[in-house]
Amino acid sequence: MKKGNNRKLIIIGVLLIAAVALVLSGVPKKMLSMAHRSLLARGIITPNQVDVPAEESNEKEIADFSLELRDTHGNLVSLSDYKGKVIFINVWASWCPPCIAEMPGIDALHKKLTGNDVEMLMVSVDKDFERAKEFVERKGYGFNIYTVEGELPGFYEAKTLPTTFVIDADGNLAYKTRKMYDYNSEEFLDFLLSLR
């Protein structure tokens, strides 16, 4: 009877050690990101777009331009520096599988927007900004990333990650979603360019 109990304890111990090793290796996060990316590619996950008031309505939601960010070189950037441009803001974290899943599409969109009057601000909410920088460098993404300087204004509160905002050239909120989305589409590119 004692040998059977010891064997069970050993098996449970080995399984616990294996589970901890698997979690620490980051494999589950990678698997979850791959699953999310697959759902995006098949169109199973779609954006949750905020209703934008009709043109004839004067009740448009004005963006908060008090947001201040710090880039990877330590330079302070204010959202007000980009007034008059279309601004794509994505709030993300390197530990967030849905955020990681949508990154290839965002990078592809960034490449298509080169030379256009659209500013892409990838805002990391990682507690350790160095970790976010290492993640982007390791993946070879071409977009710049930022961290919030001070407090994130309530307008940009991200209750879930990723959260994306698009501000039109007139300073109005044109798009907001609290879901991941495949931004590498002609429809989304045309939408952004129509906001100039």
Side-chain angles (χ1 to χ4, degrees), residues 60-140:
K60 294 191 176 188
E61 193 171 358
I62 306 297
D64 182 343
F65 283 90
S66 69
L67 176 63
E68 293 200 333
L69 306 168
R70 198 152 297 271
D71 69 13
T72 56
H73 303 292
N75 301 315
L76 188 62
V77 174
S78 175
L79 194 61
S80 62
D81 297 340
Y82 304 113
K83 278 189 175 180
K85 290 186 172 188
V86 175
I87 307 168
F88 174 97
I89 302 169
N90 181 268
V91 183
W92 66 282
S94 64
W95 47 261
C96 164
C99 301
I100 294 168
E102 71 178 5
M103 288 286 179
I106 292 173
D107 190 50
L109 176 66
H110 175 259
K111 289 174 185 164
K112 290 177 184 176
L113 288 171
T114 302
N116 287 297
D117 217 16
V118 178
E119 201 61 45
M120 290 189 76
L121 302 173
M122 299 296 294
V123 181
S124 167
V125 292
D126 281 270
K127 288 184 181 178
D128 181 3
F129 190 49
E130 289 300 316
R131 184 174 178 179
K133 289 195 285 189
E134 290 167 6
F135 169 79
V136 170
E137 286 172 16
R138 185 175 66 249
K139 293 293 187 178

Side-chain angles (χ1 to χ4, degrees), residues 169-182:
D170 296 323
N172 301 305
L173 179 66
Y175 174 88
K176 176 181 174 182
T177 185
R178 297 186 192 280
K179 292 182 180 179
M180 68 177 177
Y181 182 63
D182 184 3

Side-chain angles (χ1 to χ4, degrees), residues 52-65:
V52 179
E55 284 297 319
E56 55 272 9
S57 171
N58 292 326
E59 296 182 40
K60 294 191 176 188
E61 193 171 358
I62 306 297
D64 182 343
F65 283 90

